[in-house]
């Protein structure tokens, strides 16, 4: 496993319980950032020896099958799927998505915003691995008690929808100590190999990067969204429940835009939504997209796409170049090894 761009010397020295469990070359996971994830991205990451991920929550049954099958055709590496358990976030039941993915041969399942416990036995019976995102040490312990194989400790700095109110730096060691026999993957605020090295030093078995992978050639994001990520500083993200059409009352982190600034200026906290109901963009088939929809700006959209939620974490300040995902994995691995081996 691993494509020709892989840096084998680095990979051999970045072995962790996560790489052993999932047969990876490097302890790096490409986060499943909604519609931005696609077979091309997941496969490129998998080919480079990391774990590629598909977000399937917002896909219907046929689209889920197609995405999984295409990714499988593209790579012999490791990839998985993420399912949001929260019923407010989807139309297809979690059970259906799990069954479809098992039928298609998926063996790595990630669950977020809900309890993975009801699906553990079913996935384990097919030889699969269950990952659950948590925001506290207590949640990690409960997940492991339910049979979860890997936990993702997501810090408050993370982009997209956020499960924790604790920053990554204090959260990761707490989770590692709470579940000492379970691989922990750190998420939130990680943009380069130094961040990966830091969380490995904290006891994590891997790093989960989302914002940084949005700035890859394979990521399915609109060019104006990607450019905003490249231009943004680490101080330009906002944590709120602002973009709530489609997934209400769920905290998220986005880059500032005119929609955010108008909301901030309204002075009415979370309740006032200036311009609510405004159509700011449309999909290729002409479906209107409203200002406060939980709709990621994908390449085919037309209109003022930069007024939509520009999901990104505080690591956005370190996201400054666009490159192929496989090259990024290799660069991250080399940087991480250098950080870990640098004399102090």
């Amino acid at each position: 496993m691993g494509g020709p761009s892989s840096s084998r010397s680095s990979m051999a020295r970045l072995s962790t319980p996560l790489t052993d469990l999932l047969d990876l070359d490097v302890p790096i996971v490409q986060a499943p950032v909604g519609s931005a994830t696609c077979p091309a991205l997941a496969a490129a990451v998998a080919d480079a020896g990391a774990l590629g991920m598909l977000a399937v929550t917002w896909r219907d049954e046929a689209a889920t099958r197609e995405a999984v099958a295409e990714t499988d055709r593209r790579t012999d590496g490791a990839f998985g799927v993420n399912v949001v358990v929260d019923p407010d976030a989807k139309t297809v039941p979690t059970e259906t998505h799990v069954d479809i993915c098992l039928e298609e041969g998926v063996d790595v399942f990630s669950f977020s915003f809900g309890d993975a416990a009801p699906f553990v036995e079913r996935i384990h019976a097919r030889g699969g691995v269950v990952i659950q995102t948590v925001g506290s040490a207590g949640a990690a312990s409960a997940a492991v008690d339910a049979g979860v194989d890997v936990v993702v400790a997501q810090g408050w700095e993370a982009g997209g929808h956020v499960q924790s109110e604790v920053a990554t730096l204090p959260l990761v060691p707490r989770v590692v100590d709470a579940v000492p026999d379970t691989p922990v993957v750190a998420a939130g605020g990680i943009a380069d190999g130094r961040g990966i090295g830091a969380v490995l030093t904290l006891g994590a078995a891997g790093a989960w990067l989302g914002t940084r992978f949005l700035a890859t050639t394979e990521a399915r994001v609109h060019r104006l969204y990607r450019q905003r990520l490249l231009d943004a500083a680490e101080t330009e993200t906002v944590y709120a429940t602002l973009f709530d059409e489609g997934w209400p009352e769920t905290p998220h982190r986005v880059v500032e835009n005119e929609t955010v600034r108008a909301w901030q200026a309204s002075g009415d906290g979370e309740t006032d939504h200036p311009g609510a109901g405004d159509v700011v963009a449309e999909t290729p088939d002409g479906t209107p997209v409203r200002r406060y929809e939980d709709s990621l700006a994908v390449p085919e959209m037309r209109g003022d796409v930069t007024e939509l939620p520009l999901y990104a974490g505080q690591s956005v300040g370190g996201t400054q170049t666009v490159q192929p995902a496989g090259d990024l994995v290799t660069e991250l691995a080399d940087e991480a090894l250098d950080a870990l081996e640098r004399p102090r």
Side-chain angles (χ1 to χ4, degrees), residues 33 125 197 225 284:
V33 188
Y225 177 14

Side-chain angles (χ1 to χ4, degrees), residues 119-134:
F119 315 104
V120 168
E121 185 175 348
R122 192 182 326 179
I123 294 168
H124 282 172
R126 301 285 286 271
V129 172
V130 181
I131 302 171
Q132 182 168 324
T133 299
V134 301

Side-chain angles (χ1 to χ4, degrees), residues 211 214-215 221-238 254-261 264 297 305-313 315-322:
T211 304
L214 293 179
V221 297
H222 196 284
R223 61 181 179 80
L224 296 178
Y225 177 14
R226 180 183 282 119
Q227 190 59 50
R228 183 69 182 99
L229 298 181
L230 298 176
D231 294 340
E234 68 279 2
T235 56
E236 294 184 80
T237 69
V238 174
V254 296
V255 174
E256 293 178 3
N257 59 11
E258 287 303 317
T259 300
V260 171
R261 284 187 281 271
Q264 290 173 324
V305 298
T306 55
E307 299 314 301
L308 297 173
L310 305 178
Y311 296 118
S315 63
V316 71
T319 301
Q320 299 174 340
T321 59
V322 178

